[in-house]
Amino acid sequence: GESVGLHLPTLSVQEGDNSIINCAYSNSASDYFIWYKQESGKGPQFIIDIRSNMDKRQGQRVTVLLNKTVKHLSLQIAATQPGDSAVYFCAENRGRDDKIIFGKGTRLHILP
Amino acid sequence: ETGVTQTPRHLVMGMTNKKSLKCEQHLGHNAMYWYKQSAKKPLELMFVYSLEERVENNSVPSRFSPECPNSSHLFLHLHTLQPEDSALYLCASSQEWTSEGYEQYFGPGTRLTVT
């Protein structure tokens, strides 16, 4: 069955604050993780990925943290902006011959 | 935009109709995917084509029939659908898996309503 989930379906954050979106996975064999952003009326958009041999990876205003001990993944968005309003999905993959499994998503609301 | 286009963007069809969804990617990728996105459910992978060969058929009912005539085009042929097939159908493309992983680029989706 599906093994990737998110702790909160909705997250509201004040504009300018940092956002943290969490994700739990249950398959310890998963070795590649991805965060996607989906804005209304659009398809998911790749944000950042991380392999299991890393515990942190940074992009532009985003940071992904991986804690393999507790099978937890998080996405941190710095200085949240109105354009960050979207649904965020985590996804896991166990390698070339396996499929990507997506979580249900967290909707991020930006408060003015 | 992402370089992946889908047509039509919206489709309403009866249960006895036959229709096709089209996807085109302009990114030079060699793998293409169909996903189903239903309300309050995770994205479900339906089909994967790699180098124009189907490599994944994720227990999808036969009323959905994919076709990949070349590496840039992907179709999903629909016939005798059920109301529960109403969903957003997303197409994606990527390069083949590498040791670094792979990034999928999604189209905007086709919103399908089966009446």
Side-chain angles (χ1 to χ4, degrees):
Chain A
E2 301 300 329
S3 63
V4 179
L6 293 166
H7 293 302
L8 292 173
T10 305
L11 175 67
S12 295
V13 175
Q14 205 77 35
E15 182 178 347
D17 287 354
N18 296 337
S19 302
I20 300 177
I21 300 171
N22 295 305
C23 182
Y25 65 96
S26 59
N27 194 323
S28 58
S30 294
D31 63 359
Y32 178 60
F33 304 89
I34 313 153
W35 279 102
Y36 285 91
K37 171 187 180 183
Q38 186 172 20
E39 297 176 86
S40 181
K42 297 184 179 180
Q45 176 186 5
F46 175 96
I47 301 174
I48 192 167
D49 59 2
I50 188 168
R51 292 195 62 81
S52 59
N53 61 354
M54 303 172 70
D55 53 22
K56 180 179 180 179
R57 192 171 187 203
Q58 289 186 287
Q60 188 176 13
R61 273 201 315 121
V62 295
T63 300
V64 56
L65 299 177
L66 176 63
N67 186 329
K68 294 181 288 293
T69 302
V70 296
K71 300 190 188 72
H72 184 267
L73 189 70
S74 70
L75 176 71
Q76 300 179 4
I77 304 173
T80 310
Q81 302 169 0
D84 295 327
S85 180
V87 176
Y88 290 82
F89 299 92
C90 64
E92 65 173 324
N93 186 260
R94 281 169 281 180
R96 182 194 179 94
D97 296 326
D98 209 337
K99 61 185 179 184
I100 285 184
I101 298 175
F102 284 82
K104 292 182 181 177
T106 292
R107 182 172 296 280
L108 179 63
H109 287 290
I110 312 304
L111 304 172
Chain B
E1 296 301 331
T2 64
V4 180
T5 59
Q6 289 187 245
T7 54
R9 293 294 309 275
H10 300 272
L11 178 62
V12 179
M13 60 186 288
M15 289 190 283
T16 58
N17 291 161
K18 288 185 179 181
K19 296 287 185 182
S20 295
L21 309 185
K22 179 182 176 181
C23 176
E24 185 173 358
Q25 58 98 358
H26 311 275
L27 302 167
H29 290 160
N30 52 26
M32 297 187 76
Y33 313 79
W34 279 117
Y35 286 89
K36 177 183 179 182
Q37 187 175 38
S38 304
K40 300 183 179 178
K41 291 178 68 176
L43 263 69
E44 301 171 56
L45 179 64
M46 301 174 72
F47 301 104
V48 180
Y49 277 83
S50 177
L51 300 173
E52 300 163 39
E53 285 191 29
R54 191 190 309 182
V55 296
E56 178 83 35
N57 180 350
N58 203 23
S59 302
V60 178
S62 60
R63 57 185 183 268
F64 296 91
S65 175
E67 178 189 0
C68 187
N70 56 62
S71 60
S72 299
H73 293 86
L74 185 66
F75 295 89
L76 188 62
H77 303 300
L78 316 171
H79 65 97
T80 59
L81 294 191
Q82 303 298 311
E84 60 265 29
D85 296 323
S86 298
L88 182 68
Y89 288 84
L90 291 160
C91 173
S93 71
S94 75
Q95 283 301 109
E96 268 272 277
W97 174 268
T98 70
S99 60
E100 298 301 312
Y102 62 103
E103 179 177 342
Q104 291 186 2
Y105 290 77
F106 284 83
T110 294
R111 174 68 61 186
L112 174 67
T113 302
V114 181
T115 61

